[in-house]
Amino acid sequence: MSFNDANTGLTPAPGGLALAEPTVNVRHRWTASIVLVNVGINAAFFGPIQVLLGQQAMHFSPEEKEGILALVTGAGAAVSLVANPLFGAFSDRTTSRFGRRVPWVFIGALLGTIGLVGLAGAPSVAAMMLLWCLVQLGCNGALAATTAAIPDQVPVRQRGSIGGMASMGTVLGILMGAAIGAVVAGNFSLGFIICAVGLVVGMVPYLFFASDPVLDAKDKAPFTWLNFVSGFWISPRKYPDFAWAWITRFLVNVGNHLVTLYLLFFLTDAVHHEDPAFGVLVLTGIYAILTLITAVIGGRWTDKVGRRKPFVIASSAIIALAALILAFFPTWIGALAGAAVLGIGYGVYLAVDFALLTQVLPSSASRGKDMGVINVANSLPQVIAPIIAWPLVTILGGYVTLYVTAAVIGLLGAVFVVKIKGVD
């Protein structure tokens, strides 16, 4: 029986079908399911992060809103640091008849939904923090599984394009989250419920169209706790390209989170916008439209020319420029310009850097765990950014200092891309 067809997109290999290198382009419906699950997961992330958690923090204490938001988002991000690689490692070893990734997408989305519904009625800051941690646990678990599915099933020649489409789902989720925050008009409880519904709706098509190859039990390495735990350390000496790719993604994401974390408060306190929640929606809409366009164009372009690093370097520099615009032009016009520039840079970055990352993974047997480790470079900045941002805004110069710092950190990420040798 041949599996080299459009249903699986895989060619059997000595290590088994689930461990094979994909050779056939994936179907449009599979791509659509990846887009939709990313929409759901990112709406569940960014609706709360951009607006709802900030509104809930102001509900509990207007005077201490910055500290509450930093505490809650930092704790949730700390959970995600563990959830992403852990769920990825679990999925690598899963021999379910539904495949390696699908069961963990379902479990993660279920946990995330429970957490979001709970946040709608959280009675205290402590409850708010714990429930947001549950959302991060579940959604990062689902994200780890879906992220690993791309190198599982997409050939290298198509990964820029599929990375662009997955990024489109990410951006649509961010936009959907901002829209929810604006539409509920301060009713954050309703907003959390809508985010939960979006998460469920986005997950369902993936469960039906994943075509997730099944891991044969004989292809699974024997389990020991020592090997399992030690596997999360990926030696920079042995895999230097993986290490540099991780560092560059971490730095760019720190810079990006510094820009977006206090956007609601920036519009309130620096720009003095009359409707900050609506302002977040407008800025996110501009950012989203340009990100969608440049992610698709950048992904296809990088596949066509067969190069990744020049795109990543240029897009990282453009992201840094957006932070500088916000720093020195704290007006509504400046915010609009910053959002546009950020969208242009971040769209290309999301698509192309993802494709680059899939090409430096150490092993096909541990794609889930390795992509989970990579995803820590997305999650750890959520822990680091509040720690950096809070004193910069409240003590060390305000939003100018914050956004200049974001630009410098992002530019360092662009510089370190040149250290990657195995990818052009």
Side-chain angles (χ1 to χ4, degrees):
M1 179 177 180
S2 174
F3 291 93
N4 187 15
D5 58 27
N7 290 325
T8 64
L10 299 166
T11 301
L17 181 62
L19 306 184
E21 185 65 26
T23 59
V24 176
N25 288 0
V26 292
R27 285 183 169 183
H28 292 309
R29 71 180 187 183
W30 185 90
T31 303
S33 73
I34 284 289
V35 172
L36 290 174
V37 76
N38 273 281
V39 170
I41 290 172
N42 283 282
F45 277 141
F46 288 98
I49 288 174
Q50 290 184 118
V51 177
L52 301 177
L53 290 174
Q55 291 176 338
Q56 196 168 30
M58 287 190 284
H59 167 75
F60 285 122
S61 176
E63 296 80 15
E64 299 178 350
K65 61 184 185 295
E66 294 92 349
I68 292 173
L69 184 60
L71 172 67
V72 172
T73 56
V79 170
S80 74
L81 297 181
V82 178
N84 226 301
L86 189 63
F87 274 67
F90 288 157
S91 70
D92 284 335
R93 300 184 56 82
T94 297
T95 55
S96 162
R97 67 186 181 89
F98 299 106
R100 290 197 290 176
R101 314 303 180 190
V102 167
W104 297 101
V105 174
F106 175 79
I107 292 169
L110 178 62
L111 293 175
T113 301
I114 292 171
L116 287 166
V117 172
L119 276 167
S124 65
V125 172
M128 175 186 173
M129 182 180 68
L130 291 174
L131 287 164
W132 179 241
C133 286
L134 181 61
V135 174
Q136 286 277 19
L137 177 70
C139 289
N140 273 282
L143 181 63
T146 57
T147 301
I150 294 178
D152 280 349
Q153 300 194 51
V154 180
V156 169
R157 64 176 178 271
Q158 196 188 13
R159 286 184 192 167
S161 299
I162 298 301
M165 296 301 293
S167 299
M168 182 174 71
T170 299
V171 175
L172 287 173
I174 294 171
L175 180 59
M176 179 178 171
I180 291 169
V183 168
V184 299
N187 187 350
F188 56 81
S189 295
L190 177 60
F192 286 126
I193 296 296
I194 297 174
C195 287
V197 172
L199 177 59
V200 172
V201 171
M203 173 194 66
V204 170
Y206 182 81
L207 298 182
F208 285 97
F209 300 131
S211 301
D212 199 1
V214 176
L215 177 67
D216 195 309
K218 67 180 176 60
D219 295 322
K220 184 169 65 173
F223 178 84
T224 68
W225 280 109
L226 178 60
N227 289 338
F228 182 76
V229 174
S230 63
F232 291 103
W233 170 251
I234 300 173
S235 171
R237 183 182 298 275
K238 189 174 181 180
Y239 302 105
D241 282 354
F242 184 90
W244 285 118
W246 191 97
I247 290 170
T248 59
R249 194 169 185 86
F250 169 76
L251 290 171
V252 171
N253 275 293
V254 168
N256 190 61
H257 280 293
L258 288 175
V259 171
T260 60
L261 177 65
Y262 284 159
L263 185 58
L264 179 67
F265 302 154
F266 173 70
L267 292 181
T268 301
D269 301 331
V271 176
H272 305 295
H273 195 283
E274 60 184 12
D275 188 348
F278 181 73
V280 170
L281 175 60
V282 172
L283 295 180
T284 306
I286 294 170
Y287 156 84
I289 291 170
L290 289 169
T291 300
L292 290 174
I293 294 170
T294 57
V296 174
I297 293 174
R300 291 179 178 177
W301 192 3
T302 186
D303 281 345
K304 184 176 181 179
V305 302
R307 302 191 69 190
R308 312 295 192 198
K309 290 196 297 187
F311 292 89
V312 175
I313 293 169
S315 60
S316 300
I318 292 170
I319 292 169
L321 175 61
L324 293 176
I325 292 173
L326 293 176
F328 296 109
F329 299 95
T331 64
W332 179 236
I333 298 299
L336 292 172
V341 173
L342 183 64
I344 292 169
Y346 204 56
V348 176
Y349 179 82
L350 283 174
V352 182
D353 190 62
F354 181 86
L356 184 152
L357 290 167
T358 65
Q359 293 178 239
V360 298
L361 299 179
S363 169
S364 64
S366 59
R367 289 178 183 132
K369 182 262 295 178
D370 295 338
M371 289 303 296
V373 172
I374 285 289
N375 283 335
V376 170
N378 299 329
S379 304
L380 184 57
Q382 296 178 46
V383 179
I384 300 296
I387 296 172
I388 298 173
W390 183 66
L392 291 178
V393 171
T394 58
I395 302 172
L396 300 176
Y399 289 102
V400 173
T401 306
L402 175 69
Y403 291 134
V404 169
T405 302
V408 171
I409 292 173
L411 285 174
L412 286 175
V415 170
F416 290 140
V417 173
V418 300
K419 295 286 189 178
I420 299 171
K421 304 300 182 184
V423 180
D424 290 333

